[in-house]
């Protein structure tokens, strides 16, 4: 973000945003990859805040202990999914929503320490979900499965098919499955299917 440029006087970096509103609270909901990609800009933003503890990053990634952001990161874990359900993809947003719905959460300036304490209280009695023991599949096996399912239901989306696959005791990483589904669906649409 530090290299973005625009014609107006609006901030183009997180630091610029923090310098424009140094008393504000900032809540970032990021996947581990995005949080790490923004790390440098987030550190610079801390310098622009009067109250750096009001910048909070909710992520599921680790590796923050030896960074300047260690006190600003709320790392969520698998208990969160057990507590609030849903997919892993929306977990950061559901965490923020549940934290901000707590009585009085929006009546005062929140800090990372406050949000971390609320989070620990909310998930304290929640066990981590058991990781399913699913059989890993090769690309060839996944392609065969997708083709068979699309033959039955040509408009079936990748999320529904992935759920069917996982419910049958087989495993495939979400990004990989989506890519393969997209490739096969395109082949079928264009008539180049094998």
């Amino acid at each position: 973000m530090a290299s973005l440029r625009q014609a107006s006087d609006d901030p183009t970096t997180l630091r610029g945003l923090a310098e424009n509103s140094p008393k504000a609270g900032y809540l970032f909901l990021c996947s581990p990859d995005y949080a790490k990609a923004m790390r440098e800009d987030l550190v610079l933003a801390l310098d622009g805040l009067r109250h750096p503890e009001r910048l909070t990053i909710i992520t599921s990634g680790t590796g923050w202990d030896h960074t300047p952001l260690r006190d600003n990161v709320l790392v969520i874990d698998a208990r969160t999914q057990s507590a609030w359900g849903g997919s892993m993809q929306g977990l950061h947003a559901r965490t923020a929503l549940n934290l901000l719905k707590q009585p009085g959460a929006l009546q005062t300036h929140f800090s990372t320490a406050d949000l971390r304490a609320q989070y620990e209280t909310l998930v304290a009695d929640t066990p981590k979900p058991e990781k399913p023991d699913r059989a890993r599949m090769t690309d060839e096996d996944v392609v065969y499965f997708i083709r068979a399912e699309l033959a039955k239901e040509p408009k079936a989306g990748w999320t529904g098919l992935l759920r069917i696959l996982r419910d049958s005791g087989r495993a495939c990483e979400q990004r990989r499955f989506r890519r393969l589904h997209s490739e096969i669906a395109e082949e079928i649409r264009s008539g180049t299917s094998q």
Side-chain angles (χ1 to χ4, degrees), residues 138-160:
T138 65
D139 278 2
E140 185 177 280
D141 292 335
V142 175
V143 166
Y144 181 82
F145 169 82
I146 293 171
R147 285 190 192 286
E149 292 299 317
L150 288 177
K152 292 187 253 179
E153 180 56 52
K155 295 187 185 222
W158 70 269
T159 54

Side-chain angles (χ1 to χ4, degrees), residues 61-82:
T62 59
W64 297 94
D65 292 342
H66 303 292
T67 73
L69 295 164
R70 70 184 159 277
D71 295 330
N72 300 87
V73 177
L74 168 53
V75 177
I76 62 174
D77 59 37
R79 296 175 298 170
T80 310
Q81 189 173 23
S82 294

Side-chain angles (χ1 to χ4, degrees), residues 28 31 41 46 79 98 127 141 173 175:
F28 296 94
S31 71
D41 211 13
L46 285 178
R79 296 175 298 170
N98 280 283
D141 292 335
E173 188 268 330
R175 186 177 298 144

Side-chain angles (χ1 to χ4, degrees), residues 12-178:
T12 59
T13 64
L14 298 178
R15 181 183 183 146
L17 184 64
E19 288 172 346
N20 276 8
S21 300
K23 294 180 182 177
Y26 295 91
L27 184 60
F28 296 94
L29 316 175
C30 309
S31 71
D33 291 338
Y34 278 105
K36 287 180 178 149
M38 294 173 33
R39 184 180 295 184
E40 184 178 323
D41 211 13
L42 288 164
V43 170
L44 294 172
L46 285 178
D47 294 337
L49 295 175
R50 284 216 184 119
H51 303 283
E53 70 278 3
R54 293 186 189 159
L55 184 149
T56 302
I57 305 153
I58 297 178
T59 187
S60 49
T62 59
W64 297 94
D65 292 342
H66 303 292
T67 73
L69 295 164
R70 70 184 159 277
D71 295 330
N72 300 87
V73 177
L74 168 53
V75 177
I76 62 174
D77 59 37
R79 296 175 298 170
T80 310
Q81 189 173 23
S82 294
W84 299 310
S87 70
M88 292 296 286
Q89 205 163 16
L91 213 47
H92 305 111
R94 283 193 309 283
T95 299
L97 178 64
N98 280 283
L99 291 173
L100 296 175
K101 283 187 346 186
Q102 297 305 304
L106 297 176
Q107 295 172 356
T108 61
H109 293 289
F110 62 80
S111 71
T112 304
D114 294 338
L115 292 175
R116 191 177 292 115
Q118 285 180 3
Y119 171 76
E120 288 301 331
T121 299
L122 289 170
V123 299
D125 296 328
T126 306
K128 287 187 179 181
E130 289 185 27
K131 191 168 183 169
D133 186 23
R134 296 183 179 129
R136 298 185 58 80
M137 300 175 70
T138 65
D139 278 2
E140 185 177 280
D141 292 335
V142 175
V143 166
Y144 181 82
F145 169 82
I146 293 171
R147 285 190 192 286
E149 292 299 317
L150 288 177
K152 292 187 253 179
E153 180 56 52
K155 295 187 185 222
W158 70 269
T159 54
L161 293 184
L162 181 57
R163 174 59 33 222
I164 291 168
L165 179 108
R166 288 178 172 171
D167 287 347
S168 72
R170 295 174 282 180
C172 182
E173 188 268 330
Q174 180 175 325
R175 186 177 298 144
R176 180 174 148 232
F177 190 90
R178 181 173 47 192

